[in-house]
Amino acid sequence: MRLTINRIYDHLNTVRNMPVEGLMEPSIIISKDEPLSKIISTLIETDSYDVFIELSGKVAALNIRDIIGAKDIKATRPSLVGKIIPELNRKSVVGEAARIMSHYRMRTLPVVQNGQVEGQVSARRIVDLINKQLVGNKLKINASNIMTGDPLVIDSHKTVSAAMSIMKRRRIDHLPVVDNGLLVGIITSSDIMKVMSPTERI
C-alpha cells in the first residue's frame, strides 16, 4: 500500500510516542578547550558527525558543518563554534527528539541526567525504527514523497571552498556535483573535513 505524507504521519503514532531511552547509544564528550584539529581526528576515527561539550549546566553540540567553517583548526576552541542545544532525558519521546533535530539540523541529541550526558539519540536509530514500523505494517513510501525537489548543486569545476561556503550558508551537508547539467557525484561536509585534517592524518 502506497501512502501520502499525512497518512504516513498517522501510521507512526506509536513511534512518535516511544521514550528515547530504548534508542540510547554512547556519545562523544569533549573538553571545551580541545583544539578542533584533535576533534577532527576523533570524528574521523569514530566515523561520527557530532560531539558534545558539557558547559556548567548546559550542553553544547559541535558537528562537522560547524567545523568546516573554522579558519584555524589548531587555535579555534570548540566552545566558540559549537552551539547550546535543547537536551533530552530518558523519558523524552521520539517525536520530540525528531522535532528538535529537524529544527537545529542535528543528527544526534544528548540524553542528560543531573547535568551530565548519559548518551545520545541519533537520527539513524529513529529512521531504523520508522522503517521497521512501516515494513511491519507492509507500508511503502515513494522516494518522491520525501525527497528535496530541485536541490542545490555545484559545478564540478568549482572549488572546495565554494562548496563549503554553500554548505555553511544553507546549513546542508550534502551537495550534488554536476558537469554540463549531469550528476557526476556528491560532496559531503565529511569529505571537506577530511581535507582539513591535520597532515599526519591524511
Side-chain angles (χ1 to χ4, degrees):
M1 173 172 43
R2 303 208 177 267
L3 303 171
T4 64
I5 291 296
N6 288 337
R7 290 186 62 207
I8 292 167
Y9 186 84
D10 292 339
H11 278 278
L12 294 176
N13 269 328
T14 305
V15 172
R16 267 197 312 281
N17 295 316
M18 285 181 63
V20 299
E21 186 172 30
L23 299 179
M24 281 175 57
E25 53 194 11
S27 56
I28 300 172
I29 311 295
I30 56 162
S31 160
K32 62 184 172 75
D33 298 317
E34 197 98 348
L36 290 185
S37 54
K38 189 168 180 185
I39 295 169
I40 289 172
S41 294
T42 299
L43 289 168
I44 292 171
E45 287 166 8
T46 59
D47 191 27
S48 299
Y49 179 79
D50 306 272
V51 294
F52 300 114
I53 313 160
E54 294 175 338
L55 299 169
S56 57
K58 295 186 177 178
V59 177
L62 179 67
N63 62 38
I64 291 174
R65 197 183 327 112
D66 299 323
I67 290 171
I68 64 173
K71 300 211 182 316
D72 185 348
I73 61 171
K74 291 190 176 176
T76 304
R77 293 295 177 247
S79 54
L80 297 177
V81 290
K83 54 193 168 295
I84 303 295
I85 56 168
E87 305 160 4
L88 302 173
N89 60 57
R90 287 176 172 269
K91 301 305 176 190
S92 299
V93 295
V94 169
E96 177 188 359
R99 280 191 300 276
I100 295 170
M101 285 179 187
S102 176
H103 180 74
Y104 285 87
R105 302 298 294 257
M106 302 291 295
R107 293 188 192 179
T108 59
L109 286 174
V111 178
V112 178
Q113 179 74 27
N114 298 324
Q116 291 193 316
V117 177
E118 289 190 311
Q120 68 181 28
V121 175
S122 68
R124 183 181 300 171
R125 293 292 301 275
I126 293 174
V127 169
D128 286 345
L129 188 63
I130 290 170
N131 185 52
K132 285 178 186 169
Q133 178 78 4
L134 294 175
V135 169
N137 288 302
K138 297 184 179 176
L139 305 174
K140 295 179 183 176
I141 305 173
N142 289 332
S144 59
N145 289 133
I146 58 173
M147 71 179 186
T148 300
D150 194 24
L152 287 170
V153 299
I154 190 165
D155 189 85
S156 61
H157 301 100
K158 295 284 187 179
T159 63
V160 169
S161 60
M164 181 172 67
S165 176
I166 292 170
M167 288 179 184
K168 282 290 292 177
R169 191 172 67 252
R170 301 304 291 268
R171 297 173 70 206
I172 57 175
D173 290 291
H174 302 84
L175 197 55
V177 180
V178 296
D179 191 0
N180 293 321
L182 296 175
L183 180 68
V184 293
I186 190 163
I187 186 169
T188 70
S189 55
S190 295
D191 296 328
I192 294 173
M193 183 186 70
K194 287 171 185 172
V195 171
M196 297 169 65
S197 178
T199 308
E200 64 271 17
R201 294 275 320 147
I202 297 176

